[in-house]
Amino acid sequence: MLNALSKAFFLGLASSRPLKRLASRYGLRKPTSFARRFIAGETTADAIAAARVVQAAGMGISLDLLGESVLTLDEADAATRGCLALVREVVDAGIERNVSLKLTQLGLDVDHATAVDNLRKILALADAHEFFIRIDMEGSAYTDETLSIWQTLWGLGHRRLGVVLQSALKRSEDDARRVIEQGGRVRLVKGAYKEPKTIAWQAKADVDAAFVRMMQILLKDGTYPAIATHDPAMIAATKEYARTIGLGHDRFEFQMLYGVRRDLQASLVADGYRVRVYIPFGREWFPYFMRRLGERPANALFVLKSIVRER
Ligand SMILES: Cc1cc2nc3c(=O)[nH]c(=O)nc-3n(C[C@H](O)[C@H](O)[C@H](O)COP(=O)(O)OP(=O)(O)OC[C@H]3O[C@@H](n4cnc5c(N)ncnc54)[C@H](O)[C@@H]3O)c2cc1C
């Protein structure tokens, strides 16, 4: 109950323009500023520097040039050019070639065909350099469209393109089976959006139970699934199930967010598991940041403390 309230509260604040303006001015201003804990910085150079640190600690990375819900074709075009520039800079930097992006960042709310075209432009360059591109999953209004775009591009031969499924949605187990049938790669998450009870589990226990069921389906029949969670219970269940079916540590990976449970990331690496860290960066960090606060109200306290310290 508290969980749902906190999620709704912070997701509500995420659409406040004055708050966004204020936060954007101060959030990343100094190395100690409050948003630095979860956002690598505003520039690609900041993200690449963070990626080098993560890779040096024995983990993989996925870079996310933050942005979502753009309202004009110009913004979608700018985001596409940003992703293309990111691909080139990652190649030049020689770090791991793995990027996550969102379809509403590429214009899905403005024009479906343009968003697909934009993604195809990115894939043309990314495929040439053997990148893996993960399409993040947004709110349930986009689930069908996102999966159908993935399906179309997969059918066109883009085999380094993965999707995300959310255990909070009741439909996701069926979606997992459909993606598995095609041989696609899934990142399993609980889901960061507030969804109606007609289509989504509301209680944490139900979301967790669905997560475990989906994890088992993906580990047993999927292609190199990513189990993306900071929840020790989900991680323990995954390790246990992999052991039971004799699945090697190289057949799946754990994924976590930059700045979240770094202790757990390190201990999984020490135990020989693969871990990938999702590294968000860029100027459009506010909605992402608010989702992180909604997941864990203690983070809001942490942010308040850093603001007070800085003044
Ligand atoms: C790599 C990655 C990619 C993701 N991509 C997507 C996506 O495409 N679409 C989508 O809807 N969601 C995505 N998410 C977010 C996901 O849906 C959850 O909202 C988020 O991971 C929190 O759920 P949890 O599994 O960690 O478990 P929870 O039950 O929320 O948390 C379990 C424990 O983890 C720790 N924890 C969780 N979140 C935080 C936090 N923000 N700060 C500090 N500690 C925390 C706490 O100790 C908490 O008690 C992604 C998550 C990861 C790790």
Side-chain angles (χ1 to χ4, degrees):
M1 180 64 179
L2 194 63
N3 267 347
L5 280 179
S6 129
K7 211 177 202 178
F9 176 68
F10 286 99
L11 293 186
L13 286 184
S15 53
S16 155
R17 287 191 174 268
L19 193 60
K20 178 179 175 186
R21 263 198 306 277
L22 196 69
S24 303
R25 192 172 315 148
Y26 298 109
L28 295 175
R29 199 167 49 149
K30 295 192 219 153
T32 51
S33 297
F34 62 86
R36 287 269 170 190
R37 163 83 185 269
F38 301 110
I39 317 290
E42 286 201 346
T43 67
T44 308
D46 292 332
I48 288 173
R52 289 195 203 286
V53 173
V54 170
Q55 285 192 231
M59 295 180 280
I61 51 129
S62 187
L63 295 189
D64 178 12
L65 171 56
L66 290 168
E68 57 196 90
S69 310
V70 306
L71 296 172
T72 66
L73 290 180
D74 282 349
E75 285 175 288
D77 187 49
T80 306
R81 280 186 276 114
C83 290
L84 290 168
L86 172 62
V87 166
R88 289 189 200 98
E89 286 179 67
V90 164
V91 171
D92 290 345
I95 57 168
E96 200 187 357
R97 299 175 181 190
N98 191 310
V99 164
S100 296
L101 48 76
K102 289 184 173 53
L103 291 177
T104 64
Q105 176 181 26
L106 305 183
L108 194 62
D109 283 331
V110 192
D111 180 48
H112 179 100
T114 305
V116 176
D117 276 355
N118 287 341
L119 179 56
R120 292 188 72 177
K121 281 182 205 155
I122 295 166
L123 288 177
L125 183 67
D127 282 350
H129 292 286
E130 300 193 331
F131 270 70
F132 183 79
I133 303 286
R134 177 81 65 179
I135 308 175
D136 285 346
M137 187 57 84
E138 302 178 67
S140 59
Y142 303 100
T143 313
D144 270 334
E145 234 174 332
T146 303
L147 290 176
S148 112
I149 290 172
W150 172 80
Q151 172 81 64
T152 304
L153 294 169
W154 180 261
L156 290 171
H158 294 289
R159 296 300 156 94
R160 296 172 152 273
L161 184 64
V163 282
V164 178
L165 296 175
Q166 301 153 329
S167 71
L169 295 189
K170 296 176 183 171
R171 58 177 284 167
S172 290
E173 284 179 59
D174 290 340
D175 289 333
R177 291 204 172 82
R178 273 191 286 272
V179 178
I180 285 173
E181 250 169 47
Q182 318 271 323
R185 272 169 62 175
V186 173
R187 172 202 292 155
L188 172 63
V189 301
K190 290 190 186 179
Y193 301 85
K194 174 97 186 83
E195 303 288 2
K197 59 173 177 267
T198 43
I199 58 164
W201 308 113
Q202 304 294 309
K204 176 174 159 56
D206 292 332
V207 176
D208 287 359
F211 191 99
V212 170
R213 288 195 299 275
M214 289 183 65
M215 172 274 288
Q216 295 186 345
I217 295 169
L218 290 165
L219 255 52
K220 187 159 164 292
D221 298 323
T223 307
Y224 195 69
I227 308 302
T229 180
H230 317 91
D231 187 336
M234 300 299 106
I235 291 171
T238 306
K239 288 175 169 175
E240 173 63 27
Y241 188 68
R243 223 181 351 261
T244 308
I245 62 170
L247 193 69
H249 289 188
D250 58 342
R251 302 281 301 284
F252 65 102
E253 65 184 28
F254 289 107
Q255 293 191 354
M256 295 194 204
L257 301 175
Y258 181 76
V260 179
R261 292 303 312 261
R262 285 171 288 203
D263 54 334
L264 204 49
Q265 297 172 11
S267 78
L268 283 169
V269 172
D271 289 344
Y273 289 97
R274 290 188 176 185
V275 179
R276 182 175 305 283
V277 177
Y278 180 101
I279 303 181
F281 74 100
R283 296 175 64 85
E284 291 302 317
W285 52 266
F286 186 67
Y288 172 89
F289 180 73
M290 294 308 273
R291 285 196 290 276
R292 302 294 76 85
L293 296 193
E295 277 153 13
R296 191 162 177 263
N299 284 340
L301 210 61
F302 160 85
V303 166
L304 276 178
K305 277 190 200 149
S306 347
I307 295 173
V308 170
R309 260 203 310 272
E310 259 193 42
R311 300 191 67 214

